[in-house]
Amino acid sequence: EAQVTQNPRYLITVTGKKLTVTCSQNMNHEYMSWYRQDPGLGLRQIYYSMNVEVTDKGDVPEGYKVSRKEKRNFPLILESPSPNQTSLYFCASSERKRTDTQYFGPGTRLTVL
Amino acid sequence: GESVGLHLPTLSVQEGDNSIINCAYSNSASDYFIWYKQESGKGPQFIIDIRSNMDKRQGQRVTVLLNKTVKHLSLQIAATQPGDSAVYFCAESGVDSNYQLIWGAGTKLIIKP
């Protein structure tokens, strides 16, 4: 089954404790991205990747890191999480470019205390 | 600046009636528009898209209308069903956004039995 998976689905952590949210897609897509979703603000892009070893900042990259060492994986790293990073995070992938239909993962709800 | 907004944050519709969800955009250079549906606890799911060289596009029970004169986009859902309950997002992209999708805040569609 074609899908985007994220882990963990739920995470409660404390300020400053490094964490990684994994994202994996099995559709051989070139384009992957991370979004955060906050009430009233819709989806805001954090980082995106056009292909392996190619990443770029989205609208709200501060406090986040990503890597794209393999085509299928695109982890989101929070080196020192803060409470304002409490949010619902979505990973997405599309075939080639950002305007191809994006397939979203199920989401990761992160709470930073 | 660029913005994509929705006229109504919540829309209540009687089951069986048609639903119309509206979206305004501000960038006349945007040439691609897309609607996503997000059910509770899930990631957004592609519904339908339209390019600026068209003013109407139909899918299964859904129609997207684009009025470039007034920079307005709408999603029409025919014979609304309980399964249509969700938050609906419009998004736009174009050369001015470097073809990044600019997302609206979302409209919640509630189906009354």
Side-chain angles (χ1 to χ4, degrees):
Chain A
E1 181 191 351
Q3 60 183 348
V4 178
T5 56
Q6 295 177 227
N7 281 291
R9 294 290 314 279
Y10 301 91
L11 179 60
I12 301 174
T13 189
V14 295
T15 299
K17 187 176 181 181
K18 181 180 179 180
L19 67 92
T20 299
V21 184
T22 64
C23 173
S24 183
Q25 50 94 3
N26 62 0
M27 295 168 279
N28 202 37
H29 284 170
E30 292 185 0
Y31 183 87
M32 296 185 75
S33 64
W34 276 102
Y35 294 89
R36 60 178 289 172
Q37 185 175 37
D38 302 289
L41 296 177
L43 284 153
R44 294 182 292 167
Q45 192 175 52
I46 303 170
Y47 268 94
Y48 64 95
S49 168
M50 299 289 284
N51 213 325
V52 176
E53 302 291 0
V54 180
T55 64
D56 213 339
K57 295 178 181 179
D59 298 319
V60 288
E62 292 77 21
Y64 304 94
K65 283 175 56 177
V66 292
S67 69
R68 188 91 182 274
K69 294 185 173 60
E70 306 163 279
K71 200 170 188 179
R72 63 182 294 131
N73 296 323
F74 190 45
L76 179 69
I77 303 155
L78 284 72
E79 295 272 4
S80 183
S82 62
N84 64 12
Q85 292 178 298
T86 293
S87 187
L88 180 58
Y89 291 87
F90 288 102
C91 179
S93 72
S94 64
E95 190 169 337
R96 285 183 299 111
K97 60 185 188 298
R98 60 197 76 177
T99 50
D100 288 333
T101 299
Q102 293 194 47
Y103 295 84
F104 284 80
T108 295
R109 185 165 292 282
L110 172 66
T111 302
V112 183
L113 302 174
Chain B
E2 296 170 55
S3 67
V4 176
L6 296 170
H7 294 308
L8 296 171
T10 302
L11 177 65
S12 292
V13 176
Q14 202 74 36
E15 182 178 348
D17 288 351
N18 296 336
S19 301
I20 300 176
I21 302 171
N22 296 303
C23 181
Y25 65 95
S26 60
N27 191 342
S28 56
S30 291
D31 59 8
Y32 178 74
F33 306 87
I34 190 167
W35 283 97
Y36 277 85
K37 171 187 180 183
Q38 186 177 20
E39 296 175 85
S40 181
K42 297 183 179 179
Q45 186 177 19
F46 171 84
I47 303 173
I48 192 167
D49 60 1
I50 188 168
R51 298 204 175 271
S52 59
N53 60 350
M54 302 173 70
D55 52 22
K56 180 179 180 179
R57 193 169 186 213
Q58 287 184 289
Q60 188 176 18
R61 269 200 318 118
V62 294
T63 301
V64 56
L65 298 177
L66 176 62
N67 186 332
K68 295 182 284 293
T69 303
V70 296
K71 291 187 284 218
H72 185 266
L73 185 72
S74 69
L75 176 71
Q76 299 180 2
I77 305 173
T80 311
Q81 303 168 358
D84 294 327
S85 291
V87 176
Y88 290 82
F89 293 95
C90 65
E92 63 170 325
S93 78
V95 61
D96 286 0
S97 69
N98 197 25
Y99 298 102
Q100 291 279 52
L101 282 175
I102 309 296
W103 293 74
T107 292
K108 185 173 184 178
L109 179 63
I110 297 171
I111 312 304
K112 296 181 286 187

